[in-house]
Amino acid sequence: MSTEITASSPADSGKLKRVVTGPLLFAFIVGDTLGAGIYTLVGSMATDVGGVIWLPLLIALVVALLTAGTYAELITKYPHAGGAARYAERAFGIPYVSFLVGFLMMASGITTAASLANAFAGDYLAALVDLPPIPTAIAFITILTLINLRGVRESLGANLVASVIEVTGLVIVIVVAAMVFGSGGGEPARIFEFAPDVPPLQGAFAASVIAFFSFLGFEAAANMAEEVKNPSRTYPRALFGAIATAAVVYLLIALGAAIVLPPAQLAESTGPLLDVVAASGVAIPAWLFSTIALVAIANGALLFMVMASRVGFGLAESGLLPQAFSRVLPRRRTPWVSIVVVGAATIALSFVGDVATLAETTVLLLLLVFLAANVSVLVLKKDEVAHEHFRVPRVVPVLAIIASIVLLTQQTGIVWLGALGYIAVGSVLFLVARAGRRRAERRAASH
């Protein structure tokens, strides 16, 4: 079956340049997935499940694969910037629903980048140099905003280099853990020992919320669709290949960490993988691994800021945000207004919340987005397009909906309150933007 997009395909329209190849897209998703989540949140999972860290990762993997199937069909069927908001627009035709889905997606990117900025300015950096956290976070976000403005090729080029570095760090953890295990050290039995004070099933599902944060990245790729070459063929391969790669690495990390260190020690650490390396006795300088972790955190923050700015562009192209958000630099062809707004909002949000709470907020926001995407793909099954695309069986999005609802029930009240705050802010912005469009229409009619 041919996957070439025909000349009549809507994918050929749009203002963004198609410069992203399959390997770059794969690196984008892998880099976004193998980021700060696994570097910083292994300890949080150990709090809930003890040494059985691999179980919530498996639960999160299943949810990620189900929803990735939905995205593979939607992305290749409608390869435009804007992601889930565009899909909701086609499925329901209700502007407010489309806006809200897109706004929550944009908010998730900003929330994640803010949490990673705080992580960057925290303990890993303190192992190298003593700098005040707030100015460091602001400078960090500003630099990433400038890279984003340079262009998607430059952003993804930086991502390719950073992805190699961060994967190297994870490989180091896997190798040193294997060396400990091979020499008869550590305690392999810990990988089957749950946390003593938490019911196993309750702990597994609670930890799966945090584990799911570690798999986020595939949804961000939907917003690069307008800049990908031959998306119908490229996207499914990049999506599933990247998720499979992440799963193998994460499971090996989970097993190795539990074997080398007691779960209680992992739970108390803000740099758990650094502690694993140190406990192994292998002569790897702490500064080297801290540097690798910082690159991973920076890489994840950059990619989420790229995603959020492309969502803003897509919403503006759909008329759901002010048209200013669709403005692009003449030569760079990057959506500069959206990029600057995302950078400013990230700086503002970096003053609020800790890494774990912001990570859980991101998961809740994206689970709501995923619910919309999975319902949309079912509604749009009857919609035919003029080019070949990936098709997912109906049972997949149905299972993804059920899994998303289960994970939503694990969220805490404070996280739900934060999400409701986002919805309230988004609703106000939607009404303001709609009022502005109506004034513009009246002025145009009067002339």
Side-chain angles (χ1 to χ4, degrees):
M1 180 175 66
S2 173
T3 56
E4 290 294 328
I5 295 180
T6 66
S8 62
S9 168
D12 293 326
S13 61
K15 296 192 292 185
L16 303 182
K17 291 165 59 178
R18 291 197 177 277
V19 296
V20 180
T21 62
L24 271 181
L25 182 64
F26 174 82
F28 179 94
I29 303 172
V30 169
D32 215 353
T33 305
L34 294 178
I38 199 67
Y39 275 96
T40 60
L41 298 175
V42 168
S44 299
M45 286 186 275
T47 301
D48 292 318
V49 293
V52 196
I53 305 171
W54 52 269
L55 181 57
L57 285 169
L58 280 179
I59 295 172
L61 171 63
V62 170
V63 180
L65 284 173
L66 290 172
T67 303
T70 288
Y71 269 84
E73 174 164 333
L74 290 171
I75 290 168
T76 57
K77 196 172 184 179
Y78 311 109
H80 297 287
R86 287 276 181 112
Y87 313 143
E89 178 185 10
R90 283 182 175 269
F92 309 114
I94 303 173
Y96 177 71
V97 172
S98 303
F99 172 81
L100 195 57
V101 170
F103 184 77
L104 292 178
M105 188 75 189
M106 191 173 183
S108 73
I110 293 169
T111 304
T112 303
S115 71
L116 297 185
N118 289 339
F120 184 91
D123 292 335
Y124 278 118
L125 184 64
L128 301 178
V129 61
D130 185 16
L131 293 175
I134 292 177
T136 300
I138 293 173
F140 172 72
I141 296 166
T142 301
I143 291 170
L144 297 186
T145 299
L146 293 174
I147 294 173
N148 197 0
L149 283 168
R150 285 279 296 175
V152 69
R153 184 189 292 273
E154 287 77 5
S155 298
L156 297 191
N159 161 248
L160 188 58
V161 175
S163 295
V164 172
I165 294 173
E166 67 189 45
V167 170
T168 300
L170 297 178
V171 169
I172 288 174
V173 176
I174 293 169
V175 169
V176 299
M179 291 172 65
V180 171
F181 176 73
S183 64
E187 186 55 62
R190 281 197 292 255
I191 66 174
F192 299 110
E193 295 176 359
F194 284 92
D197 302 325
V198 183
L201 192 60
Q202 176 185 329
F205 279 108
S208 66
V209 174
I210 296 172
F212 193 60
F213 179 81
S214 298
F215 280 101
L216 297 180
F218 63 88
E219 80 294 336
N223 301 286
M224 307 302 298
E226 207 163 311
E227 295 164 279
V228 172
K229 296 179 179 179
N230 197 1
S232 289
R233 184 177 63 186
T234 302
Y235 258 102
R237 295 177 179 178
L239 272 175
F240 295 114
I243 292 175
T245 300
V248 171
V249 173
Y250 284 168
L251 291 173
L252 290 174
I253 290 285
L255 295 172
I259 289 172
V260 174
L261 283 179
Q265 192 171 337
L266 288 171
E268 294 172 359
S269 176
T270 57
L273 299 191
L274 179 61
D275 289 348
V276 170
V277 173
S280 72
V282 179
I284 296 175
W287 66 263
L288 176 60
F289 193 82
S290 293
T291 301
I292 292 172
L294 290 173
V295 170
I297 292 169
N299 191 37
L302 172 62
L303 298 182
F304 274 101
M305 290 176 71
V306 170
M307 176 273 288
S309 63
R310 267 54 182 187
V311 172
F313 172 85
L315 288 173
E317 288 283 275
S318 299
L320 300 174
L321 273 180
Q323 284 302 304
F325 280 79
S326 67
R327 291 178 184 169
V328 297
L329 292 174
R331 294 183 60 187
R332 293 285 173 185
R333 304 296 296 278
T334 52
W336 70 272
V337 172
S338 187
I339 290 171
V340 170
V341 170
V342 165
T346 303
I347 289 174
L349 198 61
S350 68
F351 297 126
V352 183
D354 58 67
V355 174
T357 301
L358 289 171
E360 291 176 12
T361 303
T362 295
V363 170
L364 191 152
L365 294 172
L366 287 179
L367 285 172
L368 295 175
V369 172
F370 293 164
L371 278 174
N374 284 304
V375 173
S376 295
V377 79
L378 291 172
V379 173
L380 292 169
K381 282 288 186 182
K382 63 182 182 296
D383 186 30
E384 297 295 332
V385 295
H387 60 275
E388 297 292 343
H389 60 85
F390 184 87
R391 298 175 189 272
V392 68
R394 289 179 184 272
V395 67
V396 172
V398 171
L399 291 174
I401 290 170
I402 295 171
S404 296
I405 291 173
V406 169
L407 287 187
L408 283 172
T409 64
Q410 305 303 311
Q411 295 284 5
T412 60
I414 188 67
V415 174
W416 273 107
L417 189 62
L420 292 175
Y422 272 125
I423 292 172
V425 171
S427 299
V428 171
L429 290 176
F430 175 78
L431 293 174
V432 170
R434 187 171 68 170
R437 288 196 305 273
R438 286 178 174 174
R439 285 195 300 270
E441 289 168 2
R442 286 196 296 268
R443 284 196 299 267
S446 65
H447 294 298

